[in-house]
Amino acid sequence: MDEERTALHALAPLENLRRLASGPTISEMDGMTQYEFDALIQRQLEASGFQTLHRAPRVIEIVRSGQRGLVYCANAQDPGRGGMIHLRHVVAARRLLEDDDFSSLLLIGNQPYVSRAALRHMESMPCALHHIDRYELQQWIEWGTPVCTVIDL
């Protein structure tokens, strides 16, 4: 009983944020073009205290406290229930990391799952890797939960 009460108390702040949501909904994000999605993520990163540079479609460079990181937006329009981040997204992000000296990678996706091959590849990444999945994306963008604690910059 005490564990359930503790779990409910932990959910209360998230529920309050959800009720007061002011950002675009996850459904609206699903309908965004790549450019719109990248711009949304870039604005939210800047609001979270990062300096940003949109390098290419899906790719945003972030800087904070002299540390450089890379954000890869692996989003899909209308991802569906079985949508997943595939190995090709992780490989593309890794190639970008190898071209420059980045200390971390943030992989953001609006899909609910990550393929097994992509997970295996993510485990072998040479840098700090953080993944924001569909649920965390909704909390960050739609509900306004801070994302700064996720990124080690």
Side-chain angles (χ1 to χ4, degrees):
M1 181 81 143
D2 288 336
E3 290 177 13
E4 291 174 1
R5 182 174 296 148
T6 302
L8 284 174
H9 283 284
L11 287 174
L14 284 178
E15 179 61 22
N16 190 41
L17 286 171
R18 187 195 62 77
R19 285 188 301 110
L20 301 172
S22 61
T25 66
I26 194 73
S27 298
E28 290 171 340
M29 287 183 261
D30 290 344
M32 290 182 175
T33 65
Q34 186 64 54
Y35 176 78
E36 292 168 331
F37 189 83
D38 290 353
L40 174 66
I41 297 300
Q42 186 172 5
R43 281 192 309 272
Q44 293 298 322
L45 287 166
E46 288 171 355
S48 296
F50 293 95
Q51 295 175 339
T52 65
L53 173 66
H54 189 256
R55 292 177 46 153
R58 297 188 184 271
V59 182
I60 302 168
E61 184 177 331
I62 56 175
V63 178
R64 185 168 67 184
S65 304
Q67 299 275 342
R68 292 176 56 217
L70 190 70
V71 177
Y72 188 86
C73 301
N75 67 303
Q77 284 188 321
D78 302 318
R81 291 180 177 238
M84 66 177 62
I85 294 177
H86 293 283
L87 179 60
R88 70 178 178 271
H89 296 296
V90 180
V91 169
R94 186 173 190 153
R95 285 185 185 142
L96 292 167
L97 283 172
E98 291 170 355
D99 289 345
D100 286 308
D101 186 30
F102 292 104
S103 60
S104 66
L105 170 67
L106 177 61
L107 181 63
I108 299 176
N110 64 338
Q111 299 91 335
Y113 305 106
V114 178
S115 74
R116 284 187 182 172
L119 283 173
R120 275 188 247 116
H121 199 75
M122 289 166 70
E123 290 172 357
S124 70
M125 295 290 271
C127 69
L129 171 71
H130 307 284
H131 172 238
I132 293 182
D133 64 14
R134 183 176 181 81
Y135 179 65
E136 293 167 326
L137 179 67
Q138 181 180 33
Q139 288 181 34
W140 177 38
I141 304 292
E142 184 177 342
W143 303 352
T145 305
V147 75
C148 291
T149 57
V150 173
I151 307 170
D152 290 338
L153 290 184

PDB file of all heavy atoms in Angstrom, residues 17-45:
ATOM      1  N   LEU A  17       1.295  18.889 -14.753  1.00  0.00           N
ATOM      2  CA  LEU A  17       1.883  19.443 -15.984  1.00  0.00           C
ATOM      3  C   LEU A  17       1.038  19.091 -17.204  1.00  0.00           C
ATOM      4  O   LEU A  17       0.843  19.909 -18.097  1.00  0.00           O
ATOM      5  CB  LEU A  17       3.311  18.927 -16.173  1.00  0.00           C
ATOM      6  CG  LEU A  17       4.371  19.516 -15.262  1.00  0.00           C
ATOM      7  CD1 LEU A  17       5.675  18.757 -15.412  1.00  0.00           C
ATOM      8  CD2 LEU A  17       4.570  20.991 -15.534  1.00  0.00           C
ATOM      9  N   ARG A  18       0.539  17.844 -17.249  1.00  0.00           N
ATOM     10  CA  ARG A  18      -0.285  17.417 -18.378  1.00  0.00           C
ATOM     11  C   ARG A  18      -1.555  18.255 -18.469  1.00  0.00           C
ATOM     12  O   ARG A  18      -1.967  18.671 -19.541  1.00  0.00           O
ATOM     13  CB  ARG A  18      -0.638  15.932 -18.249  1.00  0.00           C
ATOM     14  CG  ARG A  18      -1.364  15.399 -19.488  1.00  0.00           C
ATOM     15  CD  ARG A  18      -2.022  14.075 -19.237  1.00  0.00           C
ATOM     16  NE  ARG A  18      -3.035  14.113 -18.226  1.00  0.00           N
ATOM     17  CZ  ARG A  18      -4.285  14.595 -18.400  1.00  0.00           C
ATOM     18  NH1 ARG A  18      -4.643  15.094 -19.549  1.00  0.00           N
ATOM     19  NH2 ARG A  18      -5.148  14.602 -17.411  1.00  0.00           N
ATOM     20  N   ARG A  19      -2.159  18.535 -17.332  1.00  0.00           N
ATOM     21  CA  ARG A  19      -3.398  19.326 -17.333  1.00  0.00           C
ATOM     22  C   ARG A  19      -3.151  20.765 -17.781  1.00  0.00           C
ATOM     23  O   ARG A  19      -4.003  21.378 -18.398  1.00  0.00           O
ATOM     24  CB  ARG A  19      -4.046  19.315 -15.946  1.00  0.00           C
ATOM     25  CG  ARG A  19      -4.738  18.022 -15.617  1.00  0.00           C
ATOM     26  CD  ARG A  19      -5.551  18.057 -14.325  1.00  0.00           C
ATOM     27  NE  ARG A  19      -4.760  18.389 -13.143  1.00  0.00           N
ATOM     28  CZ  ARG A  19      -4.857  19.541 -12.468  1.00  0.00           C
ATOM     29  NH1 ARG A  19      -5.697  20.471 -12.848  1.00  0.00           N
ATOM     30  NH2 ARG A  19      -4.112  19.776 -11.407  1.00  0.00           N
ATOM     31  N   LEU A  20      -1.993  21.300 -17.473  1.00  0.00           N
ATOM     32  CA  LEU A  20      -1.667  22.683 -17.817  1.00  0.00           C
ATOM     33  C   LEU A  20      -0.880  22.800 -19.116  1.00  0.00           C
ATOM     34  O   LEU A  20      -0.325  23.847 -19.409  1.00  0.00           O
ATOM     35  CB  LEU A  20      -0.874  23.321 -16.671  1.00  0.00           C
ATOM     36  CG  LEU A  20      -1.557  23.351 -15.304  1.00  0.00           C
ATOM     37  CD1 LEU A  20      -0.581  23.835 -14.238  1.00  0.00           C
ATOM     38  CD2 LEU A  20      -2.810  24.194 -15.329  1.00  0.00           C
ATOM     39  N   ALA A  21      -0.836  21.749 -19.893  1.00  0.00           N
ATOM     40  CA  ALA A  21      -0.013  21.676 -21.108  1.00  0.00           C
ATOM     41  C   ALA A  21      -0.263  22.853 -22.035  1.00  0.00           C
ATOM     42  O   ALA A  21      -1.403  23.230 -22.291  1.00  0.00           O
ATOM     43  CB  ALA A  21      -0.282  20.375 -21.834  1.00  0.00           C
ATOM     44  N   SER A  22       0.850  23.409 -22.540  1.00  0.00           N
ATOM     45  CA  SER A  22       0.729  24.546 -23.453  1.00  0.00           C
ATOM     46  C   SER A  22       1.430  24.304 -24.786  1.00  0.00           C
ATOM     47  O   SER A  22       1.227  25.047 -25.731  1.00  0.00           O
ATOM     48  CB  SER A  22       1.318  25.795 -22.799  1.00  0.00           C
ATOM     49  OG  SER A  22       2.684  25.587 -22.523  1.00  0.00           O
ATOM     50  N   GLY A  23       2.256  23.280 -24.870  1.00  0.00           N
ATOM     51  CA  GLY A  23       2.991  23.003 -26.101  1.00  0.00           C
ATOM     52  C   GLY A  23       2.169  22.203 -27.085  1.00  0.00           C
ATOM     53  O   GLY A  23       1.052  21.776 -26.787  1.00  0.00           O
ATOM     54  N   PRO A  24       2.720  21.990 -28.267  1.00  0.00           N
ATOM     55  CA  PRO A  24       2.019  21.150 -29.247  1.00  0.00           C
ATOM     56  C   PRO A  24       1.859  19.731 -28.709  1.00  0.00           C
ATOM     57  O   PRO A  24       2.734  19.225 -28.006  1.00  0.00           O
ATOM     58  CB  PRO A  24       2.925  21.178 -30.481  1.00  0.00           C
ATOM     59  CG  PRO A  24       4.209  21.769 -30.049  1.00  0.00           C
ATOM     60  CD  PRO A  24       4.009  22.455 -28.744  1.00  0.00           C
ATOM     61  N   THR A  25       0.752  19.117 -29.032  1.00  0.00           N
ATOM     62  CA  THR A  25       0.495  17.756 -28.577  1.00  0.00           C
ATOM     63  C   THR A  25       1.364  16.775 -29.344  1.00  0.00           C
ATOM     64  O   THR A  25       1.891  17.091 -30.411  1.00  0.00           O
ATOM     65  CB  THR A  25      -0.976  17.373 -28.768  1.00  0.00           C
ATOM     66  OG1 THR A  25      -1.246  17.330 -30.176  1.00  0.00           O
ATOM     67  CG2 THR A  25      -1.905  18.351 -28.075  1.00  0.00           C
ATOM     68  N   ILE A  26       1.476  15.572 -28.812  1.00  0.00           N
ATOM     69  CA  ILE A  26       2.261  14.539 -29.490  1.00  0.00           C
ATOM     70  C   ILE A  26       1.639  14.216 -30.849  1.00  0.00           C
ATOM     71  O   ILE A  26       2.356  13.963 -31.817  1.00  0.00           O
ATOM     72  CB  ILE A  26       2.430  13.282 -28.602  1.00  0.00           C
ATOM     73  CG1 ILE A  26       3.510  12.355 -29.152  1.00  0.00           C
ATOM     74  CG2 ILE A  26       1.120  12.555 -28.410  1.00  0.00           C
ATOM     75  CD1 ILE A  26       4.910  12.835 -28.980  1.00  0.00           C
ATOM     76  N   SER A  27       0.327  14.277 -30.949  1.00  0.00           N
ATOM     77  CA  SER A  27      -0.349  14.036 -32.234  1.00  0.00           C
ATOM     78  C   SER A  27       0.008  15.116 -33.244  1.00  0.00           C
ATOM     79  O   SER A  27       0.195  14.834 -34.426  1.00  0.00           O
ATOM     80  CB  SER A  27      -1.862  13.987 -32.053  1.00  0.00           C
ATOM     81  OG  SER A  27      -2.213  12.925 -31.215  1.00  0.00           O
ATOM     82  N   GLU A  28       0.108  16.352 -32.781  1.00  0.00           N
ATOM     83  CA  GLU A  28       0.510  17.443 -33.672  1.00  0.00           C
ATOM     84  C   GLU A  28       1.954  17.269 -34.121  1.00  0.00           C
ATOM     85  O   GLU A  28       2.289  17.539 -35.275  1.00  0.00           O
ATOM     86  CB  GLU A  28       0.316  18.795 -32.982  1.00  0.00           C
ATOM     87  CG  GLU A  28      -1.134  19.166 -32.780  1.00  0.00           C
ATOM     88  CD  GLU A  28      -1.325  20.387 -31.900  1.00  0.00           C
ATOM     89  OE1 GLU A  28      -0.405  20.742 -31.126  1.00  0.00           O
ATOM     90  OE2 GLU A  28      -2.413  20.981 -31.976  1.00  0.00           O
ATOM     91  N   MET A  29       2.811  16.801 -33.206  1.00  0.00           N
ATOM     92  CA  MET A  29       4.204  16.545 -33.577  1.00  0.00           C
ATOM     93  C   MET A  29       4.296  15.435 -34.618  1.00  0.00           C
ATOM     94  O   MET A  29       5.147  15.482 -35.502  1.00  0.00           O
ATOM     95  CB  MET A  29       5.034  16.184 -32.340  1.00  0.00           C
ATOM     96  CG  MET A  29       5.325  17.370 -31.444  1.00  0.00           C
ATOM     97  SD  MET A  29       6.377  16.929 -30.061  1.00  0.00           S
ATOM     98  CE  MET A  29       5.141  16.752 -28.770  1.00  0.00           C
ATOM     99  N   ASP A  30       3.419  14.439 -34.508  1.00  0.00           N
ATOM    100  CA  ASP A  30       3.405  13.341 -35.486  1.00  0.00           C
ATOM    101  C   ASP A  30       3.101  13.840 -36.895  1.00  0.00           C
ATOM    102  O   ASP A  30       3.550  13.253 -37.866  1.00  0.00           O
ATOM    103  CB  ASP A  30       2.367  12.283 -35.103  1.00  0.00           C
ATOM    104  CG  ASP A  30       2.770  11.493 -33.872  1.00  0.00           C
ATOM    105  OD1 ASP A  30       3.956  11.541 -33.482  1.00  0.00           O
ATOM    106  OD2 ASP A  30       1.891  10.829 -33.300  1.00  0.00           O
ATOM    107  N   GLY A  31       2.343  14.918 -37.011  1.00  0.00           N
ATOM    108  CA  GLY A  31       1.975  15.446 -38.312  1.00  0.00           C
ATOM    109  C   GLY A  31       2.942  16.479 -38.873  1.00  0.00           C
ATOM    110  O   GLY A  31       2.752  16.981 -39.977  1.00  0.00           O
ATOM    111  N   MET A  32       3.989  16.796 -38.125  1.00  0.00           N
ATOM    112  CA  MET A  32       4.941  17.832 -38.564  1.00  0.00           C
ATOM    113  C   MET A  32       5.880  17.313 -39.642  1.00  0.00           C
ATOM    114  O   MET A  32       6.258  16.148 -39.640  1.00  0.00           O
ATOM    115  CB  MET A  32       5.784  18.315 -37.377  1.00  0.00           C
ATOM    116  CG  MET A  32       5.038  19.123 -36.377  1.00  0.00           C
ATOM    117  SD  MET A  32       6.163  19.685 -35.062  1.00  0.00           S
ATOM    118  CE  MET A  32       5.049  20.714 -34.141  1.00  0.00           C
ATOM    119  N   THR A  33       6.272  18.220 -40.526  1.00  0.00           N
ATOM    120  CA  THR A  33       7.317  17.899 -41.494  1.00  0.00           C
ATOM    121  C   THR A  33       8.644  17.843 -40.748  1.00  0.00           C
ATOM    122  O   THR A  33       8.746  18.271 -39.589  1.00  0.00           O
ATOM    123  CB  THR A  33       7.414  18.976 -42.587  1.00  0.00           C
ATOM    124  OG1 THR A  33       7.828  20.215 -41.978  1.00  0.00           O
ATOM    125  CG2 THR A  33       6.092  19.167 -43.311  1.00  0.00           C
ATOM    126  N   GLN A  34       9.673  17.347 -41.410  1.00  0.00           N
ATOM    127  CA  GLN A  34      10.989  17.264 -40.772  1.00  0.00           C
ATOM    128  C   GLN A  34      11.477  18.649 -40.352  1.00  0.00           C
ATOM    129  O   GLN A  34      11.979  18.830 -39.249  1.00  0.00           O
ATOM    130  CB  GLN A  34      12.001  16.620 -41.720  1.00  0.00           C
ATOM    131  CG  GLN A  34      13.356  16.373 -41.084  1.00  0.00           C
ATOM    132  CD  GLN A  34      13.269  15.375 -39.947  1.00  0.00           C
ATOM    133  OE1 GLN A  34      12.771  14.281 -40.131  1.00  0.00           O
ATOM    134  NE2 GLN A  34      13.748  15.744 -38.780  1.00  0.00           N
ATOM    135  N   TYR A  35      11.298  19.630 -41.231  1.00  0.00           N
ATOM    136  CA  TYR A  35      11.738  20.994 -40.927  1.00  0.00           C
ATOM    137  C   TYR A  35      11.010  21.539 -39.696  1.00  0.00           C
ATOM    138  O   TYR A  35      11.633  22.144 -38.814  1.00  0.00           O
ATOM    139  CB  TYR A  35      11.514  21.904 -42.144  1.00  0.00           C
ATOM    140  CG  TYR A  35      11.863  23.332 -41.872  1.00  0.00           C
ATOM    141  CD1 TYR A  35      13.190  23.758 -41.870  1.00  0.00           C
ATOM    142  CD2 TYR A  35      10.871  24.271 -41.573  1.00  0.00           C
ATOM    143  CE1 TYR A  35      13.521  25.080 -41.592  1.00  0.00           C
ATOM    144  CE2 TYR A  35      11.194  25.583 -41.291  1.00  0.00           C
ATOM    145  CZ  TYR A  35      12.515  25.988 -41.301  1.00  0.00           C
ATOM    146  OH  TYR A  35      12.844  27.288 -41.006  1.00  0.00           O
ATOM    147  N   GLU A  36       9.695  21.351 -39.618  1.00  0.00           N
ATOM    148  CA  GLU A  36       8.918  21.842 -38.485  1.00  0.00           C
ATOM    149  C   GLU A  36       9.346  21.163 -37.179  1.00  0.00           C
ATOM    150  O   GLU A  36       9.474  21.815 -36.137  1.00  0.00           O
ATOM    151  CB  GLU A  36       7.420  21.602 -38.711  1.00  0.00           C
ATOM    152  CG  GLU A  36       6.821  22.424 -39.830  1.00  0.00           C
ATOM    153  CD  GLU A  36       5.429  21.973 -40.218  1.00  0.00           C
ATOM    154  OE1 GLU A  36       5.103  20.776 -40.072  1.00  0.00           O
ATOM    155  OE2 GLU A  36       4.661  22.838 -40.689  1.00  0.00           O
ATOM    156  N   PHE A  37       9.562  19.852 -37.254  1.00  0.00           N
ATOM    157  CA  PHE A  37       9.975  19.108 -36.067  1.00  0.00           C
ATOM    158  C   PHE A  37      11.348  19.572 -35.587  1.00  0.00           C
ATOM    159  O   PHE A  37      11.551  19.817 -34.398  1.00  0.00           O
ATOM    160  CB  PHE A  37       9.982  17.604 -36.361  1.00  0.00           C
ATOM    161  CG  PHE A  37      10.181  16.755 -35.140  1.00  0.00           C
ATOM    162  CD1 PHE A  37       9.115  16.435 -34.315  1.00  0.00           C
ATOM    163  CD2 PHE A  37      11.433  16.266 -34.814  1.00  0.00           C
ATOM    164  CE1 PHE A  37       9.294  15.648 -33.187  1.00  0.00           C
ATOM    165  CE2 PHE A  37      11.624  15.472 -33.692  1.00  0.00           C
ATOM    166  CZ  PHE A  37      10.548  15.169 -32.875  1.00  0.00           C
ATOM    167  N   ASP A  38      12.297  19.712 -36.515  1.00  0.00           N
ATOM    168  CA  ASP A  38      13.637  20.188 -36.164  1.00  0.00           C
ATOM    169  C   ASP A  38      13.568  21.577 -35.518  1.00  0.00           C
ATOM    170  O   ASP A  38      14.243  21.836 -34.517  1.00  0.00           O
ATOM    171  CB  ASP A  38      14.540  20.254 -37.397  1.00  0.00           C
ATOM    172  CG  ASP A  38      14.921  18.890 -37.938  1.00  0.00           C
ATOM    173  OD1 ASP A  38      14.600  17.869 -37.300  1.00  0.00           O
ATOM    174  OD2 ASP A  38      15.534  18.853 -39.023  1.00  0.00           O
ATOM    175  N   ALA A  39      12.760  22.465 -36.097  1.00  0.00           N
ATOM    176  CA  ALA A  39      12.631  23.826 -35.563  1.00  0.00           C
ATOM    177  C   ALA A  39      12.036  23.809 -34.158  1.00  0.00           C
ATOM    178  O   ALA A  39      12.480  24.559 -33.273  1.00  0.00           O
ATOM    179  CB  ALA A  39      11.774  24.673 -36.500  1.00  0.00           C
ATOM    180  N   LEU A  40      11.053  22.950 -33.926  1.00  0.00           N
ATOM    181  CA  LEU A  40      10.451  22.823 -32.600  1.00  0.00           C
ATOM    182  C   LEU A  40      11.476  22.352 -31.580  1.00  0.00           C
ATOM    183  O   LEU A  40      11.615  22.923 -30.489  1.00  0.00           O
ATOM    184  CB  LEU A  40       9.268  21.853 -32.649  1.00  0.00           C
ATOM    185  CG  LEU A  40       8.627  21.502 -31.309  1.00  0.00           C
ATOM    186  CD1 LEU A  40       7.957  22.722 -30.694  1.00  0.00           C
ATOM    187  CD2 LEU A  40       7.634  20.365 -31.484  1.00  0.00           C
ATOM    188  N   ILE A  41      12.232  21.321 -31.920  1.00  0.00           N
ATOM    189  CA  ILE A  41      13.254  20.794 -31.017  1.00  0.00           C
ATOM    190  C   ILE A  41      14.321  21.853 -30.752  1.00  0.00           C
ATOM    191  O   ILE A  41      14.754  22.054 -29.615  1.00  0.00           O
ATOM    192  CB  ILE A  41      13.889  19.504 -31.583  1.00  0.00           C
ATOM    193  CG1 ILE A  41      12.834  18.395 -31.709  1.00  0.00           C
ATOM    194  CG2 ILE A  41      15.077  19.051 -30.747  1.00  0.00           C
ATOM    195  CD1 ILE A  41      12.176  17.991 -30.412  1.00  0.00           C
ATOM    196  N   GLN A  42      14.728  22.569 -31.793  1.00  0.00           N
ATOM    197  CA  GLN A  42      15.744  23.609 -31.632  1.00  0.00           C
ATOM    198  C   GLN A  42      15.252  24.704 -30.686  1.00  0.00           C
ATOM    199  O   GLN A  42      15.987  25.134 -29.794  1.00  0.00           O
ATOM    200  CB  GLN A  42      16.113  24.195 -32.994  1.00  0.00           C
ATOM    201  CG  GLN A  42      17.265  25.165 -32.928  1.00  0.00           C
ATOM    202  CD  GLN A  42      17.745  25.604 -34.301  1.00  0.00           C
ATOM    203  OE1 GLN A  42      17.163  25.255 -35.329  1.00  0.00           O
ATOM    204  NE2 GLN A  42      18.805  26.377 -34.318  1.00  0.00           N
ATOM    205  N   ARG A  43      14.009  25.148 -30.848  1.00  0.00           N
ATOM    206  CA  ARG A  43      13.453  26.176 -29.954  1.00  0.00           C
ATOM    207  C   ARG A  43      13.417  25.686 -28.507  1.00  0.00           C
ATOM    208  O   ARG A  43      13.747  26.423 -27.576  1.00  0.00           O
ATOM    209  CB  ARG A  43      12.036  26.565 -30.390  1.00  0.00           C
ATOM    210  CG  ARG A  43      11.973  27.520 -31.550  1.00  0.00           C
ATOM    211  CD  ARG A  43      10.578  28.097 -31.741  1.00  0.00           C
ATOM    212  NE  ARG A  43       9.526  27.097 -31.796  1.00  0.00           N
ATOM    213  CZ  ARG A  43       9.109  26.468 -32.901  1.00  0.00           C
ATOM    214  NH1 ARG A  43       9.665  26.763 -34.062  1.00  0.00           N
ATOM    215  NH2 ARG A  43       8.128  25.588 -32.850  1.00  0.00           N
ATOM    216  N   GLN A  44      13.015  24.436 -28.320  1.00  0.00           N
ATOM    217  CA  GLN A  44      12.920  23.887 -26.965  1.00  0.00           C
ATOM    218  C   GLN A  44      14.301  23.729 -26.325  1.00  0.00           C
ATOM    219  O   GLN A  44      14.455  23.934 -25.122  1.00  0.00           O
ATOM    220  CB  GLN A  44      12.179  22.547 -26.987  1.00  0.00           C
ATOM    221  CG  GLN A  44      10.715  22.674 -27.360  1.00  0.00           C
ATOM    222  CD  GLN A  44       9.937  23.532 -26.369  1.00  0.00           C
ATOM    223  OE1 GLN A  44      10.152  23.481 -25.173  1.00  0.00           O
ATOM    224  NE2 GLN A  44       9.038  24.347 -26.877  1.00  0.00           N
ATOM    225  N   LEU A  45      15.295  23.350 -27.121  1.00  0.00           N
ATOM    226  CA  LEU A  45      16.656  23.253 -26.596  1.00  0.00           C
ATOM    227  C   LEU A  45      17.173  24.625 -26.178  1.00  0.00           C
ATOM    228  O   LEU A  45      17.807  24.769 -25.139  1.00  0.00           O
ATOM    229  CB  LEU A  45      17.588  22.620 -27.631  1.00  0.00           C
ATOM    230  CG  LEU A  45      17.414  21.126 -27.863  1.00  0.00           C
ATOM    231  CD1 LEU A  45      18.130  20.693 -29.130  1.00  0.00           C
ATOM    232  CD2 LEU A  45      17.906  20.330 -26.658  1.00  0.00           C
TER     233      LEU A  45
END
